[in-house]
Amino acid sequence: MRFASLRYCGLIAYTLILTGASLGQTAPDQMQSLFREGAEQMHAGNAAAAEAAFRKAADLDPSFAPARLDLGLAQLKEGKLLEAIASIRKSLELDPASPGAHLFLGIAEYQSNDADSALRDLQQALKEDPKNVQALTWLGIVELNTGHPELASGPLDTAAELAPKDENVLDYRVQAHMAAAKESYTALYKLDPASWRLHRLNAAIDAQADDHKGAIQEYQLAIKLAPKEADLYEGMGWEYRKLGQADQAAKAFAEQLKLTPGNPIAMYNLGSAQVDSGQEAAALPLLQQVVKIYGHPTGADYYLARALAAEGKEEEAVTEFQRATTLDGEMQRRAWYQLSQIYRRLGKTAEARAAALKYEQLKQSADEASAKEVEDWRKLNAASAAAQGASEKQ
């Protein structure tokens, strides 16, 4: 079993204790002082001293649940798992609604290799607080490391939605999804080692690794086994496009359209690939139909504009390029650039300059964003390398 980091276990509930719970009749000033001392020691990383302070507090008032809970957290931080479990369970006996007790009890039970008990307590913690990121994360960790990645994905997905920048959550979420995918792949292989679906999965893996030639080969193998699966032709077509082979892409998309006549996605795929491969006349009716079907600006407007311009219908092309400028990303920038060129050919100097300026502004913003992304990635890699180096020295 892979044990998860105990960084969450350093959290203690002293703020809840000092700002709302009665400290009882036994030496309240001394009790408050002990809690403050224990909290300070925990924050300083001195769990043994914190344990001593919280134990004194528990001895002063044996019926005070928060003292037992924080004593358990200090023991958990020290790795005294059985003692921590006993202390936290005692806090729950004294107060079944003890804040955070089921969460930390579940962590302690998991660390002591009692996964069944851990799951019950973590699930109870989520009943009490469904949006508790720590409880969701630990539930995912326990499910993942006990061989149930398909059950881990749900709570980790929810945790990621609630804490999208938590690296710990994202790390375990990736592990859970990868493990679940591997299990499905293995099960599929056992059912049918020659399945076309396996070749499609291999194609997706190759595509993610930027091995587009390998992906095409896998799609071709899948098509031999399942020649009526339109999705295979679509996937292969996009892999050809990534290699700049628009003519081959068009052939693949043509097969997709044959199998799914009237499908606007297939029509768009084929029409856009035909434009890229210089077959604008053939693309025109397809793209016009797609634009009519959707009724709002899409990538089809951009490619239709290119086809119209190639056929000498520049005024109509202007209208479609203008619609395409309402899109986002690269296609929007291309639309502004193409507009500047058409306006120049039509002798509309002011409009050409305005379109060119807009293109330059968007391009500059995109370049700056890309540079920042590269720099952030460089910093992340440098930090990871430094952390790994420090770990190896320990």
Side-chain angles (χ1 to χ4, degrees):
M1 177 184 293
R2 174 187 169 185
F3 291 115
S5 166
L6 279 173
R7 71 181 184 88
Y8 288 129
C9 302
L11 301 175
I12 79 171
Y14 76 97
T15 52
L16 295 172
I17 296 165
L18 297 180
T19 60
S22 170
L23 295 178
Q25 301 299 317
T26 306
D29 291 340
Q30 184 179 2
M31 179 74 81
Q32 190 165 352
S33 176
L34 287 169
F35 270 90
R36 184 174 294 107
E37 178 186 351
E40 291 173 351
Q41 293 293 345
M42 282 288 277
H43 282 304
N46 192 345
E51 180 190 1
F54 290 131
R55 188 179 297 280
K56 290 179 182 178
D59 291 341
L60 279 174
D61 187 350
S63 65
F64 191 47
R68 296 289 182 178
L69 176 59
D70 282 358
L71 173 60
L73 298 187
Q75 292 166 330
L76 180 57
K77 184 70 173 178
E78 291 180 278
K80 297 179 178 180
L81 299 177
L82 296 181
E83 291 167 280
I85 290 170
S87 296
I88 299 172
R89 284 179 177 168
K90 184 63 178 179
S91 78
L92 283 167
E93 289 179 16
L94 297 170
D95 178 11
S98 185
H102 283 288
L103 166 63
F104 292 108
L105 179 57
I107 294 171
E109 288 166 337
Y110 170 63
Q111 294 291 337
S112 65
N113 207 26
D114 185 0
D116 291 339
S117 296
L119 288 171
R120 285 194 296 270
D121 279 299
L122 291 170
Q123 288 163 349
Q124 181 60 37
L126 284 172
K127 288 181 181 179
E128 297 168 359
D129 183 4
K131 293 186 178 182
N132 188 315
V133 173
Q134 298 175 25
L136 286 163
T137 303
W138 278 99
L139 178 59
I141 289 171
V142 175
E143 294 285 17
L144 176 61
N145 291 331
T146 52
H148 304 105
E150 74 286 355
L151 298 179
S153 298
L156 289 168
D157 285 344
T158 304
E161 290 177 7
L162 296 169
K165 295 184 179 181
D166 189 314
E167 293 183 5
N168 195 55
V169 171
L170 295 175
D171 177 16
Y172 281 106
R173 184 190 185 196
V174 169
Q175 292 184 49
H177 281 284
M178 290 179 65
K182 184 178 180 181
E183 283 192 353
S184 296
Y185 186 96
T186 301
L188 184 59
Y189 182 83
K190 288 180 179 178
L191 288 171
D192 184 1
S195 171
W196 62 268
R197 291 183 172 85
L198 285 175
H199 290 295
R200 182 170 63 180
L201 285 171
N202 287 334
I205 293 170
D206 287 340
Q208 290 177 356
D210 290 330
D211 181 6
H212 304 299
K213 291 183 179 179
I216 289 170
Q217 290 174 353
E218 291 292 340
Y219 277 123
Q220 289 171 339
L221 291 172
I223 287 169
K224 287 182 180 179
L225 296 170
K228 300 297 184 181
E229 290 293 328
D231 290 350
L232 298 177
Y233 295 98
E234 181 178 22
M236 185 168 67
W238 281 104
E239 293 306 306
Y240 275 123
R241 293 193 81 160
K242 291 172 185 176
L243 291 175
Q245 299 179 25
D247 55 339
Q248 293 297 320
K251 291 178 181 179
F253 293 139
E255 293 299 322
Q256 179 195 11
L257 186 57
K258 284 181 183 178
L259 292 168
T260 57
N263 179 353
I265 294 175
M267 287 191 286
Y268 167 76
N269 289 341
L270 176 54
S272 58
Q274 287 174 330
V275 170
D276 282 339
S277 61
Q279 304 173 62
E280 291 88 355
L284 264 176
L286 287 171
L287 294 170
Q288 286 170 333
Q289 191 173 351
V290 174
V291 168
K292 183 178 180 180
I293 290 171
Y294 285 132
H296 61 84
T298 67
D301 290 280
Y302 169 78
Y303 280 102
L304 175 56
R306 283 181 55 188
L308 289 167
E311 292 297 299
K313 301 177 181 180
E314 294 193 323
E315 293 290 351
E316 295 179 51
V318 166
T319 300
E320 295 301 328
F321 276 132
Q322 287 173 337
R323 284 167 57 86
T325 60
T326 64
L327 304 174
D328 295 321
E330 179 66 22
M331 202 164 284
Q332 180 191 43
R333 294 191 294 275
R334 290 180 181 178
W336 279 113
Y337 177 79
Q338 294 285 354
L339 267 178
S340 72
Q341 299 301 301
I342 290 183
Y343 281 138
R344 181 177 58 80
R345 290 196 298 270
L346 293 174
K348 298 181 178 181
T349 306
E351 290 89 339
R353 287 176 179 172
L357 178 60
K358 185 66 176 178
Y359 165 73
E360 290 295 339
Q361 291 172 342
L362 291 171
K363 184 176 183 300
Q364 182 177 352
S365 297
D367 290 344
E368 290 173 355
S370 178
K372 184 179 183 301
E373 184 177 345
V374 170
E375 179 62 17
D376 289 345
W377 183 253
R378 186 192 65 79
K379 290 179 179 178
L380 178 63
N381 285 340
S384 298
Q388 183 177 357
S391 176
E392 291 173 352
K393 291 179 180 179
Q394 292 179 353

